[in-house]
Amino acid sequence: MKRNVYFFSDKEYVSKEEVLNKIGIRGRRAMELAELELPILPGFVIEAEIASDLAEMSIKSHLRSFFKKLEAGTGKRFGDPENPMLVKIVISPSLVITHYPTLHNYGLTDGTLPGFVKFVGENFGHHEVQFLCKGMLAIEARIAELEKKEKYAQSIRKAADKLDRQLSSKMSARERDASVREILPLLPEGFFSGDAYDQLEIALKRISHMLSLDEMNNRDTSLLIQPMVYGNYGKDSASGNFYTRNIVTGQKILQGEFYQSAFDSIGATGRDINSIEKKYLNELGKIARTVEDHFKEIRSIRFTIENKKLWLIDQRAVMIKSTQSEIQTLLDLYNRKVVDDRFVVSKVKPQQLNEILHPVINPASVSRMKALEGGIAGAPGAAIGRVYFSTDGLLEAYKDAQLKGEDTRLILCMPATFAEDVKAIEVATGVLSNEGGYSAHASVVARQYGKVSLVKPEMRIRGRKATVGEVTISEGDYLSLNVPYYGEPAIYMGTAELIEPDPEVSGLLDFNELVQKHLDIEAFHVRANADTPRDAGLAKSFGAAGVGLCRTEHMFFHEKRINIFREMILSDTAEERKAALKKLQGFQKDDFYGILKSMSPYEVTIRLLDAPLHEFLPHNDEEMKRFITYLQSSKGGGKSLSEREVRARCDSLAEFNPMLGHRGCRIAVSYPEIYEMQVRALFEAVYALQKEKVPVHPEIMIPIIMNESELKLLIYGKRIEGGSIRGLVDVEEEVRTALKADRVPYKIGTMIELPAAALGAGEIARYAQFFSFGTNDLTQTTLGLSRDDFNSFMPDYTQFDVLDGNPFQILNEHVKELIEVATRRGRLTRPDLITGLCGEHGAVPENIRFCMEAGLSYVSCSSYSVPIAALTIAQINIERAAEKN
């Protein structure tokens, strides 16, 4: 038997692969810790080859010789009536597929119990006898089951359940002793009354017999025997548990508690682990560093001090650590050269970064708050604020709070949002809606601005109140939104405590530097969807290599611009429109100047006006009054239009299906002066920056193109009898000539968002220097699904497996096919064609992998998603490099 037994201690271990394969998971773990020279309790493992055959063997004499090493290490003797050493038996399968009972306190018998009680107290001593018997009853019940003695097994389980309840009950030592005497007939004869070695032999043989009967055991389960120590073994003893560092901040300080003269935390008063006696703290710190360096992550450690000697009892992975603590740990390991940059970058899941890019709620602060759980996560994070049910109401409350020096945190609550609500989302801390889902307008814009968005379909909004079930939310009430990336969202009624993100403190900036080492801008990179200089600058700080989508329509909703733009829309003649656009040109130049400068020297893709014109018109009485007041003022030309006339003109612009109506390039064909103004403003900004020696790379993107004729018309213009359209290239040349500037290279391309455009990409590429796949609209037009209405019936489709997942998050196979077709056909015409994806799909790891495999040049996503996309790209690059090697 000796050649089938392997010892371990802080000075002895086995590392041969052939042996490790025979001692099960727990055996391998023990050897791993022994090799690290950690202060683990000595023990031995009976290998799997004989663990199922012990019932037929004489093992008592072998056990006595094995125990000499264990006794030397602990200073106690097994079976000693004065100070007995007790052991545990660990059943160690090769795979984690079978659950076995906890088997502790072997060596406690009628003869050794009095000696044990002297150190731990009478009640605790009898409690441990109960625990011993509970484990043994579990073995006997399992044997009875395997031998098809179901009634007998049931009676044993009943006794074990009763014993389990008694373990957590308040009982006297006498009552505990009586409960043990009651169940002794169910245990093997002589189990508690004999010698300690007899008890251990009985237990090992019964466990071995159970393994021999178990079909789940393929002779790959071993048995581990190890002494036990107790933190209540006198005044110089303690127990405790801690994390190797702070699991929230990642600070390199032990986090946990110890319990003086206590077996565990139950009924004991815990004290901060850092206040433990210095010699123990130093030893625990050394253990923490050794374990952390070996496993390359934060670990949870359980220890016991018995009679002034510290023992490591257990260590395991930590599931509840924050992303910040994980990143800080990895950076520490990297700085000390324990791991390389590839390990650090590969270890963090991309979506985990959401946690350190957005605020999170301190769980302790909401433990007593009313919670409305559930909903669709639109944009992750946490937000607190007073709720308002309209854009005007929220903006008015914001201004009022600013003037009075009051709390400016506000939450916008509306059924759905539109382009005119962007200004409120930008000011608000979060958005709460009940229509749409992840790809709804509110969610998309919230992600762009780093705000929180929650869609609550069951919420009903009426006027200035909302109801969720029986709970009523009134305007001005404080709400706390919690929208984790993983887990269920919740609305808390009240003010929670927020933990704000800090890229420097969280380690994101240092981590991002390592990510950048594994990015190849020429091969594939990440750009940002950015409509303001602030967004562009933030994205660049996160590692974006350009702006892939600048939505110019958002710029016109500013309060100083919106009524001018409305004036332009309702103009009767081209001259009137041009006059109104002239007022806007300076604003547009400033917008483009700021974004181009913030993102220098990278490309900035400016998408010319895309939204239908009716979206800019007044949508409520307040907006209408302000617009009429503007028209009647000198700024608006002193027009004497009545409200009825204005409403009639607005109504005439309404469309049945605006998404496929008069929008994008179609507006430019009807009103070419709009794109002329935008391009003029763009190149005035470009050449102003050229004068300042700021390198810029503008790209002009024309939206909703369906064929090459539209694109050719807008780029190069056309003159016909009775009318003409100036080409965008002619506008650029006119600006350059007027400014006497040298030409700055630029590109003109299109957004591919219609199946017809994808299929006709070969012809379109004759005029387009780049394609940007607008996958939000491409998904809608390919599948015939509205992203704002899909969530109303999505649960039914999910239930019956009609669709595989949400196509507005994970690219649908047919949408992917159109992207591949368009890329291939486009490059047959123009081999140097740049292709990117700028829909909300661009920050999802699965979609990024597809884009790289399909040969695209980049993905573009909201600023706060840039680190997620960049990390995904870096991990794929590392993976590919490893495959080559």
Side-chain angles (χ1 to χ4, degrees), residues 400-519:
D400 190 51
Q402 278 186 315
L403 288 172
K404 295 178 179 177
E406 296 175 348
D407 190 353
T408 57
R409 295 177 301 173
L410 307 171
I411 289 173
L412 180 65
C413 183
M414 299 178 70
T417 64
F418 299 93
E420 66 268 21
D421 302 310
V422 170
K423 54 185 178 289
I425 297 174
E426 188 175 3
V427 165
T429 58
V431 189
L432 181 60
S433 58
N434 64 1
E435 295 178 8
Y438 180 81
S439 298
H441 181 271
S443 302
V444 172
V445 176
R447 288 196 293 275
Q448 176 194 348
Y449 286 105
K451 304 303 175 76
V452 179
S453 171
L454 175 62
V455 182
K456 195 84 173 165
E458 69 272 27
M459 179 174 66
R460 297 292 174 261
I461 301 174
R462 294 180 181 85
R464 296 183 177 183
K465 289 184 182 293
T467 56
V468 181
E470 296 180 359
V471 178
T472 299
I473 301 168
S474 300
E475 188 159 276
D477 286 351
Y478 268 101
L479 299 180
S480 297
L481 304 183
N482 188 38
V483 188
Y485 191 84
Y486 298 106
E488 191 172 44
I491 303 171
Y492 294 102
M493 307 299 292
T495 307
E497 178 189 335
L498 285 188
I499 301 171
E500 294 289 344
D502 186 325
E504 193 167 337
V505 172
S506 68
L508 178 60
L509 297 182
D510 292 335
F511 177 74
N512 208 32
E513 283 186 18
L514 300 185
V515 170
Q516 296 298 316
K517 287 185 176 183
H518 298 280
L519 298 181

Side-chain angles (χ1 to χ4, degrees), residues 5-52:
V5 173
Y6 304 96
F7 286 89
F8 59 85
S9 71
D10 58 348
K11 297 180 179 64
E12 184 177 1
Y13 61 89
V14 178
S15 58
K16 291 181 179 178
E17 192 69 28
E18 59 185 284
V19 173
L20 296 177
N21 290 334
K22 296 188 287 186
I23 60 175
I25 293 173
R26 296 294 295 274
R28 290 193 290 272
R29 187 186 301 172
M31 294 298 176
E32 187 175 17
L33 297 178
E35 189 172 1
L36 296 175
E37 299 181 356
L38 293 166
I40 62 170
L41 284 151
F44 60 88
V45 186
I46 302 172
E47 69 175 33
E49 285 186 12
I50 67 166
S52 302

Side-chain angles (χ1 to χ4, degrees), residues 566-801:
R566 288 167 176 165
E567 176 193 357
M568 184 275 299
I569 293 172
L570 297 185
S571 296
D572 291 319
T573 65
E575 286 68 28
E576 288 181 354
R577 280 192 295 275
K578 288 177 181 178
L581 288 167
K582 184 71 175 174
K583 299 177 193 176
L584 292 169
Q585 187 172 316
F587 292 124
Q588 281 273 269
K589 175 187 173 182
D590 291 343
D591 293 332
F592 297 145
Y593 176 92
I595 294 170
L596 287 162
K597 190 170 185 177
S598 293
M599 193 49 76
S600 174
Y602 299 117
E603 289 86 354
V604 173
T605 304
I606 305 291
R607 184 179 72 185
L608 302 180
L609 183 69
D610 183 30
L613 294 179
H614 78 90
E615 283 195 11
F616 298 90
L617 297 174
H619 286 270
N620 56 53
D621 292 340
E622 281 297 315
E623 287 188 4
M624 181 62 75
K625 286 178 184 177
R626 284 199 293 269
F627 179 45
I628 291 173
T629 299
Y630 166 80
L631 288 175
Q632 293 173 349
S633 71
S634 57
K635 289 182 179 179
K639 298 180 179 66
S640 57
L641 291 171
S642 67
E643 182 175 334
R644 178 179 294 180
E645 288 176 297
V646 173
R647 286 190 183 278
R649 292 196 183 188
C650 292
D651 291 343
S652 69
L653 290 169
E655 296 181 276
F656 290 107
N657 191 352
M659 192 197 82
L660 298 177
H662 201 195
R663 58 173 282 209
C665 66
R666 299 160 191 177
I667 292 175
V669 173
S670 299
Y671 309 118
E673 52 271 12
I674 296 176
Y675 278 14
E676 281 185 38
M677 181 278 288
Q678 289 193 290
V679 171
R680 186 177 298 279
L682 171 60
F683 283 104
E684 284 179 355
V686 166
Y687 289 115
L689 288 166
Q690 182 194 56
K691 197 171 182 180
E692 296 174 22
K693 300 190 180 336
V694 177
V696 292
H697 297 280
E699 296 182 343
I700 301 169
M701 180 156 69
I702 301 173
I704 208 76
I705 287 289
M706 64 179 171
N707 61 40
E708 74 278 12
S709 298
E710 284 176 314
L711 192 60
K712 179 183 178 182
L713 172 65
L714 294 175
I715 294 174
Y716 297 108
K718 190 172 185 178
R719 183 178 297 276
I720 60 173
E721 187 176 345
S724 66
I725 290 179
R726 294 187 67 202
L728 300 183
V729 293
D730 297 326
V731 177
E732 182 277 330
E733 185 177 1
E734 184 180 298
V735 172
R736 174 165 35 96
T737 301
L739 295 173
K740 298 179 180 178
D742 294 327
R743 186 179 184 278
V744 169
Y746 66 93
K747 291 185 175 73
I748 297 180
T750 186
M751 182 173 271
I752 303 291
E753 46 200 325
L754 299 174
L759 296 174
E763 289 74 31
I764 291 173
R766 291 168 59 195
Y767 305 103
Q769 294 169 285
F770 67 87
F771 288 166
S772 180
F773 293 98
T775 50
N776 291 337
D777 277 352
L778 187 58
T779 297
Q780 292 189 104
T781 54
T782 300
L783 301 181
L785 291 174
S786 164
R787 72 179 186 184
D788 295 314
D789 303 312
F790 175 56
N791 283 286
S792 64
F793 56 88
M794 180 182 172
D796 303 324
Y797 271 53
T798 302
Q799 182 180 354
F800 291 100
D801 296 324

Side-chain angles (χ1 to χ4, degrees), residues 820-835:
E820 289 174 321
V821 166
T823 300
R824 185 170 60 251
R825 292 182 181 179
R827 285 190 176 143
L828 284 174
T829 300
R830 188 184 292 270
D832 61 349
L833 182 75
I834 302 297
T835 58

Side-chain angles (χ1 to χ4, degrees), residues 39 84 180 235 332 367 440 493 500 508 513 530 553 561 572 640 672 698 735 792 816 877-878:
V180 169
K235 66 176 183 177
D332 177 41
S367 58
M493 307 299 292
E500 294 289 344
L508 178 60
E513 283 186 18
E553 55 268 15
R561 310 177 191 187
D572 291 319
S640 57
V735 172
S792 64
K816 287 181 181 179
N877 287 340
I878 290 171

